[in-house]
Every structure is written in structure tokens, then in C-alpha cells.
Amino acid sequence: MLRVEVSEADQQALPPIDVGDAAFVIGSSPTARVRLPANAARPEHVRIYAGHGTSEPRWRSASASGVIGDGAVFDIGHYRVRVAPAPEGASATPPQRTESLARELVRSLLGANAAPSLEVERGEHAGAKRSLAPPESVLVIGRGDVAGWAIPDGDLSKAHAEVRRGWDGVRVIDLGSKNGTRVDRVRVGDAGAELHDGALLELGKLALRYRDPAEAHLGQGSRPSAAGTRSVRRAHPTPAFYVAIAVAALAVVALIWLVVT
């Protein structure tokens, strides 16, 4: 088991990621176990090879390689990544933590409006918006004084639902409301539901749209480009194509007529 710690220049290190025995990649690829912004890292910047038997875990980059040993530090752009053996008893970090940390690294690149937010989408309070505080934070939504975001809507309970922004992502949990909580039309149970960019959060009849600029930014990087999409589409004949065919056919008919006569 290896522990990976990522820190940005002049910033405190993010919560560590504990990775199991399988090999993994540090880079900007959407499939990288430790994902960094594309302006700082290549898709596969460093590959970590797990140790087997008596062999030690190793690392390899485009220009060098080595043994992890007691720890190896990689300066990638303005990020510092340290890979070292995890403390005894550590368990593998869930993928949600990896995805969430990738989003947090991107936020500084996107500027002041990069925090995830909720915006009322319809009704008399349409346009009301609230950004979520950094992890770990909780925002209670309701119509009562106990709510961190009080919306005077009769369909809401006094403390209707809470939105938790943690290092493993953003989740919404119903607080025993009278009219229920739904995410993308699915009722939220006791365990809550994870929120992703574009999700529709319904508190009774009140509808809020969840937006996460960092998630959207990373998602764009993993989709095929428009040029790439065009290259695999089947070309559709244009009007000029049909005109050319007609002209060619007339020419053939004229040639046959001349030969016959």
C-alpha cells in the first residue's frame, strides 16, 4: 500500500490518497489514479509499479526511473507529489476521493467562481444562488431560522435538507422533511445522494440546479474534440455532389448518341 500526498505551491497538502498494490499513474489523463491539471502534467507523467514478493515499488517517468523506498517526491508544474509507503493498517481510498481531489486542484486555475453552487431554477425565488463553502462544510436548506440558507417557501420544512461538501465529493441528505428530497427525480434515502454537475435537486416542489465548474472542466478534457467527432462521422452528400453526378450522366448519354449516329 502506498500513500500519495499532493500539495500546490505555497498551499497546505490535500488529504492523502492511499493506493493498493496495483500499478497506477500520476498525470492528467482521465484514467489517472492521481489526476493533475493538464497544464501541469502529461497524460501519463509518472507510472508507479507495485512491488511483488521481495521487490520494492518503483517509479518511471519519461526521463528517469527509481525505487520508491522510504519516499519519492515529484515536482510536476507547480505541484509537489510525494509517494511513500502508507502507515500500517491504512485502507485503500475510494475513487470518489481521487475524483474530488482532482476537482479541488482545478479550482485555483478557474478563478473566483470555481466553487460548486446551487441555484433556484424555477418559482418566485428563481435566480437565488448559494456557493458551497470549502470542505469539510455543511449547508442546511429550509425555511426556518436554523437553516444556513433560509428560503421562504411554504413547500420547504424548517430544516429540509443538508448539503455536505467533503473531500469525497458533495452529497445531499434529507432531514426528515415533509415533502421529501429528490435528485434527478429519484427520492433521496437515509444514506443521501451524491451530486454531480448539472444535477437537479428538488426539495418538495422547489427546484435547484447544482453546478460544479471544476467537474465540468475535467469532463470536457475527457470528451472527444469536435474535430475528432467529425472525423468518424459518415459524410453526407451535398447538393453539389448530386449536380456533378447529373452532369456526368448527361455527358455519357451525349457520347453514346454521337457514337450511334
Side-chain angles (χ1 to χ4, degrees):
M1 179 85 66
L2 294 174
R3 170 162 290 186
V4 184
E5 294 180 327
V6 181
S7 58
E8 194 174 355
D10 302 323
Q11 299 291 329
Q12 186 176 0
L14 294 173
I17 300 171
D18 291 329
V19 185
D21 294 333
F24 64 93
V25 167
I26 301 170
S28 59
S29 167
T31 59
R33 186 69 170 87
V34 181
R35 189 174 180 187
L36 302 176
N39 70 328
R42 293 185 292 272
E44 184 175 314
H45 208 100
V46 178
R47 176 172 284 275
I48 308 297
Y49 295 90
H52 297 286
T54 58
S55 64
E56 293 187 75
R58 301 182 61 85
W59 62 270
R60 177 177 60 80
S61 67
S63 58
S65 62
V67 176
I68 296 297
D70 293 334
V73 176
F74 308 99
D75 290 315
I76 304 174
H78 59 284
Y79 299 98
R80 173 158 288 192
V81 183
R82 184 175 188 272
V83 182
E88 190 171 348
S91 57
T93 301
Q96 291 90 335
R97 169 73 58 88
T98 303
E99 296 165 4
S100 178
L101 294 187
R103 293 193 291 270
E104 296 306 319
L105 290 174
V106 166
R107 295 196 198 285
S108 61
L109 302 177
L110 299 180
N113 297 319
S117 63
L118 288 164
E119 182 173 354
V120 179
E121 191 162 88
R122 61 175 182 257
E124 62 176 310
H125 304 290
K129 186 176 181 179
R130 180 64 61 93
S131 295
L132 303 183
E136 302 274 343
S137 64
V138 175
L139 175 66
V140 175
I141 304 174
R143 61 178 173 82
D145 295 337
V146 295
W149 188 11
I151 304 175
D153 188 303
D155 210 42
L156 292 179
S157 297
K158 291 182 178 180
H160 195 107
E162 66 179 24
V163 179
R164 298 178 180 177
R165 182 182 174 189
W167 291 113
D168 291 337
V170 176
R171 298 186 68 82
V172 60
I173 297 173
D174 186 79
L175 298 177
S177 66
K178 179 180 178 181
N179 293 315
T181 300
R182 291 176 174 80
V183 173
D184 292 331
R185 312 296 184 186
V186 178
R187 193 177 184 95
V188 173
D190 294 339
E194 193 169 357
L195 293 179
H196 291 284
D197 180 59
L200 181 67
L201 174 60
E202 294 176 290
L203 310 180
K205 295 180 181 178
L206 182 70
L208 304 98
R209 186 70 65 177
Y210 174 75
R211 295 295 184 191
D212 187 342
E215 184 177 349
H217 177 84
L218 289 170
Q220 289 169 359
S222 63
R223 298 187 190 113
S225 65
T229 302
R230 285 195 296 270
S231 67
V232 299
R233 287 177 181 167
R234 181 177 296 174
H236 294 286
T238 63
F241 173 80
Y242 292 112
V243 171
I245 292 295
V247 171
L250 289 174
V252 171
V253 170
L255 180 62
I256 293 174
W257 182 81
L258 288 173
V259 171
V260 172
T261 57

